[in-house]
Amino acid sequence: AWISDQLINWPNVRRLSWDQWASLMVEAYGGQQLEIPGDESTWKDWAAGFHGIGFFNSDAVPAPYTFEKWQDWAAAVVGVVNSYRE
C-alpha cells in the first residue's frame, strides 16, 4: 500500500518530526490498533507498545530501550520493514 511504500522510499527518517513519523506508523499499521502517539518526551512508552504487538515483536523490530533517540530506533524499525520487503 501507499504508506508501506513510503517507509521504503523515505530518504531519512531523521527528516521527520516525531509526530509525523509515529502518525505515519499508526496509519500504515492501522490493523494493529496502535495508539495515537503522545509527546516526543514519551516516545519510549509508545515505542514499547509498538514493539509489544506480536506482529512487530516477531518481525525482529527492536525494543526501544537501548536507543537514546527516537530517530535511531525509527531508522532501525524502517530497516527491518525494508528487509522484509526485499
Side-chain angles (χ1 to χ4, degrees):
W2 182 84
I3 296 294
S4 295
D5 291 342
Q6 295 309 302
L7 290 173
I8 290 173
N9 295 322
W10 284 346
N12 189 335
V13 297
R14 289 169 177 80
R15 293 183 184 174
L16 300 172
S17 72
W18 165 249
D19 290 337
Q20 290 171 321
W21 188 82
S23 294
L24 282 172
M25 295 302 284
V26 168
E27 187 174 346
Y29 296 102
Q32 301 303 314
Q33 300 179 355
L34 293 169
E35 66 182 49
I36 302 298
D39 185 77
E40 184 175 336
S41 66
T42 63
W43 77 267
K44 285 188 181 183
D45 295 334
W46 184 86
F50 179 94
H51 176 260
I53 294 173
F55 175 80
F56 300 111
N57 192 296
S58 64
D59 282 342
V61 168
Y65 307 112
T66 59
F67 295 88
E68 299 242 351
K69 297 179 181 179
W70 74 263
Q71 294 93 336
D72 296 335
W73 176 76
V77 169
V78 170
V80 169
V81 170
N82 287 345
S83 72
Y84 280 89
R85 296 182 60 98
E86 293 176 351

